[in-house]
Structure formats: C-alpha cells, structure tokens
Amino acid sequence: MNIKPIPPVAKIIPHKLVKHKHTRIDDYYWFNDRENPEVIDYLNKENEYYHSVTADTKVFQEELFEEMKSRIKEDDQSVPYFYNGYYYITRFEKGQNYPIYSRKKETLSAAEEILFDCNELAKGQSYFHLGGLSVSLDNCKALFSIDVVGRRIYTIQIKNLLTGELLSDTIKNVTGTAVWANDNQTIFYSCQDQVTLRSDKIFKHKLGTSQEEDVLVYFEKDETFNVEIAKSKSNKYLAIESGSTLTTEYQILDANTPDEKFRLFQKRVRGLEYSINHYGDSFYILTNKDEAENFKLMKTPETATSKENWVEVIPHRADVLLEDIEIFKNFLVLEERANGLNTIKIIPWNGDEAYYLPFESETYTASASTNVDFDTDILRYSYQSLATPSSVIDFNMKTKEKVVLKEQQVLGGKFDKNNYKEERVWATARDGVKVPISLVYKKELVKDGKNPLLQYAYGSYGYSIDASFSSTRLSLLDRGFIFAIAHIRGGEDLGRNWYETGKLLQKKNTFTDFIDCSEFLIQEKYTSPEHLYAEGGSAGGLLMGAVVNMAPNLYNGIIAQVAFVDVVTTMLDESIPLTTGEYDEWGNPNQKKYYEYMLSYSPFDNVVAQDYPNMYISTGLHDSQVQYWEPAKWVAKLRVMKTDSNLLFLDTNMDAGHGGASGRFEALKELAKEFSFLLELEKIKN
C-alpha cells in the first residue's frame, strides 16, 4: 500500500508588526532565526517531503542531468585575450566542476602557467567560488578571493606567480573586490558591514603587513549607498565609486601614488548618475546630467572634473539608451539599445564616418566582450540568439573584417539551429503600452493552444533580459515546449523610461505586464492556461509571487527561485543586507504611501484562500541577497491558505546562497529538478 507523503505544517507563533498605526500578524516570523534548531528542522522536513513526493522522478532527473551535461564540451576553454605581455585563458577539464585559470607569455605557443586550479582549491568544500582575480602590473603576483559558504563573504590572498607560493597576507571578511596600485606592493579593497553586508569601507593594504595594520581610506556613512574600488582601463587611476539606485559619486587617485589622498571627481547630487572612463588627458563620462534620461556621453579634462567642466560628446536621444562605451586609441565604441535591441556603434576619432555593426535577427544579444587593450583596432564582441549559440568575434574597426574566434559547441550531434523558429511579438498591456515578447520553439510546432510554454521574466533594477542561447533549454524545446521572455517594465529593455515606469509607486506595471503577456500568448493560441508555466528568480521571484496572487488561474505551474516575497517586512528591517540601498527601487515603507503601496502587492502579505498553481520554490540557507526565510514563510502560509490539492514544494539548498550550487555540473542538477517538475506536469516521461 502506498502511503501518500504528508506535507509539513509549520508551527504558528503570531508576531505583531505595527507601522503607521496598522497592524500585521506574521505567524512565521520565528523563521528569521537561523540558529533556531526548529527552523532547520522545518527546512529539512520540507526537503524530505519534496524528495519523497518526487521519488519516482529521480531517474528522469538523472537522465535530464546527463542529457544536459552531454551537450556541454567538458574540456572547453575561453578565447584567449592578450594583456600586459600575456595571453590569459580560462579552461575546463573533462569531469571537473570548476575552471582552471592560466596564462601564456607573449605567444599562444608558450608554456602554460597555471594561475589557479579551482578544482584543487575547492576540494573538501560543499560550496566554492573564486572571485576578485587580479594580476599585478609587474606580472609577478596575483590577488584572489574565495567564498566557501555562498554568502558572498570572501577571504583575499596573494599568490607569488614566480614561485607558486602563497604570501602570508590574508584579508578576511571582505567583499572580494580588490585592485593593485602601480607599485605592485599596495592593494585597495572593499569591506562590508558584518551585519547588513552593505559594502561601506575601502581599505589600503601593504604587502607583508597584517590586516589589523590596514588603513581605512574611505567610509561611506550613507546607508543607502554601497562602495567599490576599481582601476581605469588606462591603468593610470584608481577610482572609488559610491553608488545608490539613483545617485553616484567618484573619487580618483593616481595609481602611481597610492599613499596620496583620493580627490573628489564630482560630488554627489541626488538623481545625478555618472560613470567615468579615462583616456589620454581626459575623462569620458556616461551620465544622465540635465535630465538625459537615456544617458549621454560627456568629456572633461583630468585636471578639472566637476560637472561644470563637462562638455557634450554624444547627445541624449529619446529613442536610444546609451548603455556603455569602450575606448580605444583610434575608435570610440558605443553600446546602445534601440527598440529593445542591442546595437554597437563604431566612431573613429579621426572624423571618418561612424557606422553600426549589422545584426539581422530580432531575438539576439550582442555586447562588447573582453577589450583590455587600448592600442588596437580590434573590437572583441559576443553574439547569440535564442536559437544561435554564443560566438566570440574579433572585428577590425578599420578594415571592417570580422573573424569568428569561437562558437559555443553543442555536443551530441542532434542540434541544428535551423530546426528552431525565433520570433518577437508585441502584447498590448492594459494601459495600452506595447510589451515585446521573444519566443523560440521547434519549427514544426502548431499554434493550437495545446503547447506547453515556459514564460520567463525579471522586471526590476533596470536589468534587461536579452534573448540569449541556452543548450540546457533544448531539453524543453525538443520535448515540445515554447520558451518566452516577457520584456516587461522594470527592466530597461525599451529605454530608461521602461525602468522608471516599473518601480516605486508604479511597480504593479511589472506584474500586470507579465499577466497581459500571458493572456496574449493564450489568445494567440501559443498555449493555454492548462499548459502555461511561469518562472522567475530573486526579484523575478517577487514577480512570481505577485502574479499567482493576482491571476492564479492563468498558470498550471510556477517556478520561483530565491524569491523576494516578504517585501514590507524586509524593507522595514535595516539590519538585512540590501534593505537601505533599495529604497529608491521599492520605496521606503517608513513613509506611509510606500508602506501602503508595497503592502498592496507584497506576495506574502497577499496570500489568500484560493486555488494556486503547482509551485516549485527553491532557496539557499546562506543566501545574502534574499534571506531563506522569505520563501520558507511564503510556503508555510500557502500550505495553510490554499484551497487546491496542487503540488507545492520548498527545496532548500543547505550548502548554498543566492546563486545556488557552485560548480557547473551541480548547477545542472538543480535545473534538472525544475525541468522534471514541468515535464511531470505535462505528463512527458522521457
């Protein structure tokens, strides 16, 4: 006799939360204590329940894992790039989870020097991430940082590249971001508050000294700002960036004189955003100065950097978002976005006619790649589409010749990009705005409303989701799924205004755009509510939570990863990482108008007694971005409130953080869980 697993029911301990004379009762507030054994016990019971219910899919999950793994070239390597006398390469070996970083002196035929073998460094660790890799200007030393928990708290060490030995210098509990001064003896690094994890300090470290002797160079007092340290492409300047959602401020220092004081580039002015690039005797500034919503490019002498000295180079354009620039000795390269698509514009410094790189598809991604050398006419860029694997291309800006250096290999012998159809369609939102949707599916597919469709979106922080290729996604496409990206407001897909009208007191546009895209896809017979699935992670998990409260009948299943769902409580808790720095994104609920608006959509607060779709919700115990208790509380409340018998899973990785499992193959196992969830609901068994 089969005994049906019983889902765990969390203990209810009512906790009163009062703000603006309004009272909320949180029955699961006690989840917030990660040291409480009962919390860990509940998470483990949810995991046991998930594994018990899905036990009969374990073989299928393993098959999906092997299938996705088989498409990956295991002994792969990056296209080498040349910098300061060396070619740098990242490569993987067959069967290994982690990359190997190496270099070759002057020519690619030179002997390989292994800088870091992450497979060796990761031995004995359930989680591993190498960050902050930086080689000194004399090529003799490399600093690197390691996180073995997944909470993005790193330890910096320095390796002697000539002897292979590690120096005694160890810098603990830092962000992992660090740069060398030009004396090859001084390091600047950023450090976070140990409670909130806000990056708030820049320190200076001299080789051979202890961390206790490090000098505090800058402390960011404003809790809505984060700081980081970087070095200009020209290697002449070190720059401290203080940034919030709406405002930036830079301080600069000649990298040859690390013991001097940083000087202010342009003091912060609320609403003024800018970034700096050094070239020759000038700085080029990407900025929204003077209400340039889509940004413009300006220039100023390195000796006079305040904004009254800035001179316009590329004016603001209402229909083109200027996203980034690359500076070369003979060319300026603009990365732009028009009508939701990437463009790359080449401008010769000598006054010759500017031109755009030609791209023909409507569902592609193109962006500048690794371009560390000033004195070259070669622009390296990457290109991919929903059906076209990623390519790395060297383009000669003078002769206009291009060389495809590498196209991502899809192994297994079955893949042919001509077997798939890509298209971009436009849904009409309820307020009349047109929202683009990128689609990919097998060519022979018939639009009869019976196709399973996975709709994905993010929709926050001005982050645009471009149409990129995924070899793992083929496991869905080849089984009849359509994959759709809804380019909803809250991203910058259609310019800065697309972002501005999807945040703060207009945040609900993000959710209704997604729902309206779903209804369009159903209306156009791509799919139906019985076969429509939705996916989002982090702030996209907030989107999932809002959507299932508002329109649960549209979806058969939902995947929500590391979901930010307890919006009001989190944004009122200034001890939680990210909170204070995000007031300009979500609003400050200490102000009543924001409190009430956020409360009106916060997924956790708006769970009601109704039928919900099948739901697979994942999180990581050590997540520093979205604390594990948010999805855990959400699931606990759904278990009590929902009126259906649909699947509801909480899957907690007890060894990982916001990014999930580390290692390229461990991450595939998590994806296999998600895919098996969808395929099981579609009754697709192989």
Side-chain angles (χ1 to χ4, degrees):
M1 183 174 73
N2 289 331
I3 300 174
K4 193 174 181 181
I6 299 172
V9 177
K11 184 168 60 177
I12 290 176
I13 306 176
H15 181 83
K16 190 179 290 188
L17 297 162
V18 181
K19 192 72 181 178
H20 305 297
K21 298 180 181 178
H22 176 260
T23 300
R24 291 180 299 138
I25 303 297
D26 184 348
D27 290 334
Y28 309 103
Y29 192 83
W30 63 276
F31 280 22
N32 294 35
D33 181 8
R34 75 177 67 243
E35 303 302 321
N36 184 344
E38 290 186 78
V39 172
I40 302 302
D41 182 58
Y42 173 74
L43 296 177
N44 283 327
K45 282 179 177 173
E46 283 284 3
N47 281 352
E48 289 166 12
Y49 173 72
Y50 164 67
H51 289 298
S52 178
V53 174
T54 59
D56 60 346
T57 71
K58 288 294 185 286
V59 172
F60 189 28
Q61 285 182 35
E62 186 61 32
E63 289 171 355
L64 285 167
F65 167 74
E66 292 296 340
E67 177 181 300
M68 291 187 283
K69 183 181 175 185
S70 71
R71 296 194 195 101
I72 296 172
K73 192 174 189 302
E74 290 195 47
D75 54 347
D76 202 9
Q77 74 170 41
S78 66
V79 176
Y81 70 87
F82 190 74
Y83 177 68
N84 196 25
Y86 284 84
Y87 281 97
Y88 286 88
I89 302 161
T90 304
R91 63 179 177 83
F92 286 91
E93 291 186 344
K94 190 175 177 66
Q96 298 287 356
N97 246 319
Y98 296 98
I100 296 169
Y101 296 94
S102 67
R103 67 179 184 177
K104 296 183 177 184
K105 190 172 184 179
E106 294 178 356
T107 69
L108 287 170
S109 59
E112 181 186 49
E113 299 176 33
I114 303 291
L115 303 178
F116 299 100
D117 183 344
C118 294
N119 301 288
E120 291 295 320
L121 294 170
K123 280 185 177 175
Q125 305 292 347
S126 57
Y127 178 92
F128 176 85
H129 184 257
L130 181 85
L133 178 55
S134 177
V135 177
S136 59
L137 212 53
D138 64 4
N139 289 314
C140 295
K141 296 175 285 292
L143 63 83
F144 64 103
S145 58
I146 288 176
D147 172 16
V148 293
V149 175
R151 200 154 168 79
R152 302 186 183 181
I153 300 174
Y154 290 82
T155 296
I156 294 173
Q157 293 178 273
I158 295 102
K159 182 177 182 179
N160 184 322
L161 298 179
L162 303 182
T163 66
E165 296 173 329
L166 289 180
L167 277 59
S168 59
D169 307 64
T170 303
I171 306 169
K172 296 181 177 179
N173 297 320
V174 295
T175 67
T177 302
V179 295
W180 290 95
N182 290 349
D183 64 355
N184 306 301
Q185 296 295 315
T186 308
I187 293 168
F188 291 85
Y189 64 90
S190 55
C191 189
Q192 67 269 72
D193 181 281
Q194 294 305 296
V195 176
T196 67
L197 300 188
R198 178 176 73 92
S199 177
D200 59 358
K201 303 176 197 74
I202 303 295
F203 281 95
K204 178 172 64 176
H205 175 82
K206 296 285 187 181
L207 293 193
T209 64
S210 68
Q211 186 173 356
E212 289 71 29
E213 297 173 80
D214 291 354
V215 176
L216 177 63
V217 173
Y218 179 68
F219 172 63
E220 178 53 69
K221 297 174 184 174
D222 190 327
E223 292 183 347
T224 66
F225 280 74
N226 288 276
V227 294
E228 56 186 54
I229 184 80
K231 197 176 189 181
S232 66
K233 185 174 171 181
S234 65
N235 279 322
K236 185 174 180 181
Y237 286 98
L238 301 167
I240 295 173
E241 179 192 358
S242 293
S244 71
T245 305
L246 294 176
T247 309
T248 43
E249 178 183 82
Y250 282 86
Q251 301 170 62
I252 58 173
L253 175 67
D254 190 320
N256 292 305
T257 57
D259 294 327
E260 297 293 316
K261 285 189 174 182
F262 281 78
R263 64 182 172 93
L264 203 57
F265 188 93
Q266 160 59 43
K267 71 177 181 180
R268 67 189 66 178
V269 176
R270 179 160 174 80
L272 176 65
E273 297 176 66
Y274 70 95
S275 60
I276 58 176
N277 288 264
H278 176 252
Y279 174 57
D281 58 0
S282 302
F283 280 97
Y284 286 80
I285 306 135
L286 199 61
T287 180
N288 67 346
K289 183 178 179 287
D290 300 326
E291 299 181 352
E293 185 178 53
N294 278 336
F295 288 76
K296 60 183 175 181
L297 187 64
M298 305 188 81
K299 177 183 178 182
T300 196
E302 59 185 348
T303 54
T305 58
S306 55
K307 62 184 174 66
E308 62 269 16
N309 299 295
W310 299 358
V311 176
E312 191 170 270
V313 178
I314 304 291
H316 173 260
R317 291 155 293 171
D319 58 344
V320 178
L321 175 67
L322 181 55
E323 292 191 315
D324 206 353
I325 66 170
E326 284 281 0
I327 295 177
F328 297 88
K329 182 179 179 181
N330 298 316
F331 297 91
L332 171 66
V333 177
L334 307 182
E335 293 189 75
E336 302 174 342
R337 184 180 294 273
N339 198 31
L341 297 173
N342 305 128
T343 59
I344 297 177
K345 187 176 186 179
I346 314 293
I347 304 174
W349 289 121
N350 66 5
D352 286 354
E353 188 176 351
Y355 60 93
Y356 284 93
L357 294 185
F359 302 122
E360 294 172 3
S361 171
E362 274 204 327
T363 60
Y364 70 88
T365 302
S367 60
S369 182
T370 306
N371 292 281
V372 294
D373 192 0
F374 267 118
D375 193 9
T376 179
D377 292 330
I378 304 297
L379 168 70
R380 179 165 294 178
Y381 71 94
S382 61
Y383 176 88
Q384 59 188 306
S385 75
L386 287 172
T388 306
S390 175
S391 296
V392 178
I393 299 161
D394 270 2
F395 179 79
N396 189 311
M397 294 179 279
K398 193 165 279 183
T399 66
K400 300 184 182 179
E401 294 174 312
K402 74 174 186 179
V403 178
V404 178
L405 300 174
K406 180 182 180 181
E407 180 172 287
Q408 175 189 348
Q409 284 185 263
V410 181
L411 302 184
K414 297 179 181 178
F415 174 73
D416 180 349
K417 62 186 176 185
N418 295 311
N419 291 336
Y420 305 89
K421 182 176 180 181
E422 303 172 87
E423 60 176 321
R424 187 166 65 148
V425 296
W426 297 77
T428 303
R430 59 197 64 186
D431 61 356
V433 170
K434 298 286 188 183
V435 182
I437 307 170
S438 297
L439 296 156
V440 62
Y441 48 86
K442 290 290 286 288
K443 268 188 178 172
E444 63 267 23
L445 181 136
V446 178
K447 296 175 191 172
D448 57 5
K450 298 177 182 178
N451 304 300
L453 186 151
L454 178 59
Q455 180 179 327
Y456 174 80
Y458 185 71
S460 289
Y461 303 107
Y463 184 69
S464 301
I465 302 295
D466 289 315
S468 58
F469 180 79
S470 166
S471 68
T472 57
R473 192 188 298 138
L474 297 173
S475 292
L476 292 180
L477 299 183
D478 290 348
R479 289 176 171 87
F481 265 77
I482 300 171
F483 179 73
I485 302 170
H487 302 282
I488 55 182
R489 279 174 283 187
E492 274 185 351
D493 306 64
L494 293 178
R496 182 70 173 196
N497 186 255
W498 204 245
Y499 169 44
E500 298 292 344
T501 54
K503 67 174 187 174
L504 296 173
L505 297 175
Q506 298 182 79
K507 187 63 205 170
K508 288 183 186 176
N509 284 336
T510 301
F511 316 137
T512 55
D513 279 1
F514 190 90
I515 292 167
D516 294 341
C517 285
S518 297
E519 290 179 336
F520 171 83
L521 292 169
I522 292 167
Q523 176 189 317
E524 295 298 310
K525 298 285 176 58
Y526 286 95
T527 190
S528 61
E530 294 78 26
H531 299 287
L532 178 56
Y533 303 89
E535 176 191 5
S538 195
L542 160 66
L543 169 66
M544 295 298 101
V547 161
V548 292
N549 284 334
M550 296 166 70
N553 58 311
L554 282 182
Y555 308 94
N556 189 38
I558 297 287
I559 295 174
Q561 307 110 337
V562 293
F564 171 44
V565 286
D566 193 11
V567 183
V568 179
T569 306
T570 291
M571 292 305 295
L572 282 169
D573 187 348
E574 296 181 5
S575 71
I576 294 176
L578 298 185
T579 293
T580 56
E582 305 226 336
Y583 289 156
D584 288 331
E585 179 72 25
W586 311 105
N588 182 349
N590 292 297
Q591 298 176 33
K592 190 178 180 184
K593 66 176 180 178
Y594 291 114
Y595 174 85
E596 291 177 344
Y597 187 77
M598 293 160 78
L599 190 60
S600 72
Y601 69 75
S602 173
F604 178 70
D605 292 288
N606 286 281
V607 171
V608 294
Q610 66 179 6
D611 286 1
Y612 281 88
N614 298 284
M615 299 173 74
Y616 173 84
I617 297 161
S618 58
T619 187
L621 180 63
H622 303 293
D623 197 328
S624 61
Q625 312 299 104
V626 177
Q627 308 301 313
Y628 70 87
W629 59 74
E630 293 201 39
K633 286 164 56 173
W634 184 33
V635 168
K637 190 172 183 180
L638 281 165
R639 289 221 181 278
V640 174
M641 298 292 290
K642 75 190 190 85
T643 54
D644 59 83
S645 57
N646 288 331
L647 299 173
L648 175 60
F649 298 134
L650 174 67
D651 185 11
T652 304
N653 188 324
M654 305 301 279
D655 296 315
H658 196 63
S662 64
R664 56 179 177 159
F665 299 136
E666 289 305 309
L668 288 182
K669 291 177 181 176
E670 295 189 342
L671 203 53
K673 290 180 180 181
E674 296 176 0
F675 284 6
S676 70
F677 171 75
L678 297 173
L679 294 166
E680 185 76 9
L681 289 173
E682 282 295 311
K683 299 180 171 56
I684 299 172
K685 303 290 186 180
N686 52 46

